[in-house]
Amino acid sequence: MELLSSTKVSGGWLKRYRHESLSVKGDMVFAIFLPPQAESIKVPVLYWLSGLTCTDENFSQKAGAFNKAAELGLAIVMPDTSPRGTDYPGEHESYDFGSGAGFYLNATVEPYGHTYNMYDYVVQELPTLVEEHFPISDKRSISGHSMGGHGALICALKNPGRYQSVSAFAPITNPTQCPWGEKAFTGYLGENRETWKAWDACELIATAEERLPLLVDQGEADGFLEEQLKPEALEQACAKAGHEVTLRRQSGYDHSYYFISSFIADHLEHHAAALTS
């Protein structure tokens, strides 16, 4: 790994690294916050998955999470949102497909199937790397925002026993039934909509082998609420399957990091309680 930067913050360290990824067959960048406790013990970790157009830096610069994470003794790992360095036809033409929009799945349509394997990267490769090189335990939780909220939900639902807890901010809950998801899934997975269901939280909940309680915050002034995010679909799927969900509708809040920073402490406490139980 190549260390790109190291910054003292909240008594701990925020470090950024570049490394060669086998999953995406190219270089990837991630950030890691190590709380002060990591100087003497292995600490549990929260994986944060960011949304469309983001990199590893959006959360670290805007969420205001590190004071609370330091208090709780919680590391946070922040990967990028897609492979970089490729130049496929149309890859950089829109914000909701291609560069910055990997959707945390394993693509099957070429050329994206060669490198857009963000699911394998987030679930397997990155945690293995982190646990090998840092004072990080195998106690993991996962959270994210928007596209990353979708990613957090599917990673937890598809991997029973791997995560201690899961949460999301304004997740794309039902991507097979919204424009963002339909565009991305067609480009990454092809026209067969049956194959899309393996990457849709509302579809996965029905057969989930583990039922971690879901904590979801959704701003009621979010401009993407009705067309793209569809929290009511998640509530309906959870009710039908008997899957515990706490979906908090926050009056006046939008889709931005102002919203995330307002409630991130609640989510960190939610994860810390599960990680240290």
Side-chain angles (χ1 to χ4, degrees):
M1 294 189 297
E2 176 190 359
L3 178 65
L4 300 178
S5 65
S6 181
T7 306
K8 186 80 171 181
V9 57
S10 300
W13 291 93
L14 175 65
K15 299 175 181 283
R16 296 183 72 230
Y17 290 89
R18 179 187 293 118
H19 73 103
E20 184 178 358
S21 166
L22 297 177
S23 300
V24 308
K25 299 176 178 60
D27 286 347
M28 288 293 289
V29 172
F30 72 92
I32 181 170
F33 170 71
L34 296 168
Q37 296 87 336
E39 295 182 5
S40 57
I41 61 171
K42 287 189 175 183
V43 296
V45 60
L46 173 67
Y47 287 86
W48 173 267
L49 307 183
S50 290
L52 291 167
T53 75
C54 292
T55 69
D56 65 285
E57 294 186 290
N58 294 75
F59 181 85
S60 64
Q61 294 175 355
K62 298 178 179 180
F66 298 142
N67 280 344
K68 176 59 72 171
E71 174 190 324
L72 297 170
L74 185 63
I76 306 176
V77 172
M78 299 145 276
D80 202 348
T81 52
S82 74
R84 307 287 175 170
T86 52
D87 194 21
Y88 301 139
E91 183 182 11
H92 313 303
E93 292 179 0
S94 61
Y95 78 95
D96 53 357
F97 180 77
S99 183
F103 267 81
Y104 303 102
L105 50 71
N106 289 337
T108 56
V109 172
E110 297 302 332
Y112 294 95
H114 184 64
T115 55
Y116 272 64
N117 299 303
M118 289 299 295
Y119 175 78
D120 282 351
Y121 178 73
V122 165
V123 173
Q124 297 291 341
E125 183 177 9
L126 184 58
T128 298
L129 185 74
V130 166
E131 291 166 22
E132 178 181 352
H133 291 280
F134 300 97
I136 301 297
S137 75
D138 61 358
K139 295 287 189 179
R140 312 174 200 92
S141 291
I142 193 163
S143 185
H145 172 229
S146 194
M147 177 186 72
H150 143 77
L153 293 175
I154 64 167
C155 286
L157 290 165
K158 290 167 73 71
N159 292 278
R162 186 157 186 81
Y163 302 101
Q164 305 302 119
S165 55
V166 57
S167 74
F169 288 84
I172 304 171
T173 67
N174 198 189
T176 62
Q177 304 298 322
C178 77
W180 277 344
E182 290 173 336
K183 178 178 180 178
F185 285 9
T186 300
Y188 295 136
L189 303 172
E191 299 287 347
N192 183 356
R193 298 179 73 99
E194 283 299 309
T195 66
W196 298 5
K197 293 180 179 180
W199 307 101
D200 185 310
C202 288
E203 297 287 345
L204 293 169
I205 282 170
T207 58
E209 296 178 17
E210 180 182 46
R211 300 206 174 276
L212 292 176
L214 308 182
L215 173 61
V216 176
D217 272 303
Q218 174 61 63
E220 290 189 329
D222 190 322
F224 303 113
L225 178 58
E226 294 184 6
E227 184 179 31
Q228 304 285 9
L229 305 178
K230 301 182 182 297
E232 68 283 352
L234 181 67
E235 286 181 311
Q236 292 167 8
C238 286
K240 186 175 181 180
H243 196 124
E244 181 180 347
V245 60
T246 300
L247 201 158
R248 309 191 305 184
R249 289 173 168 83
Q250 305 291 3
S251 177
Y253 286 90
D254 61 14
H255 199 70
S256 73
Y257 267 84
Y258 295 115
F259 162 56
I260 294 171
S261 67
S262 298
F263 301 102
I264 190 64
D266 292 350
H267 285 244
L268 294 177
E269 289 176 351
H270 166 78
H271 295 297
L275 289 163
T276 58
S277 64

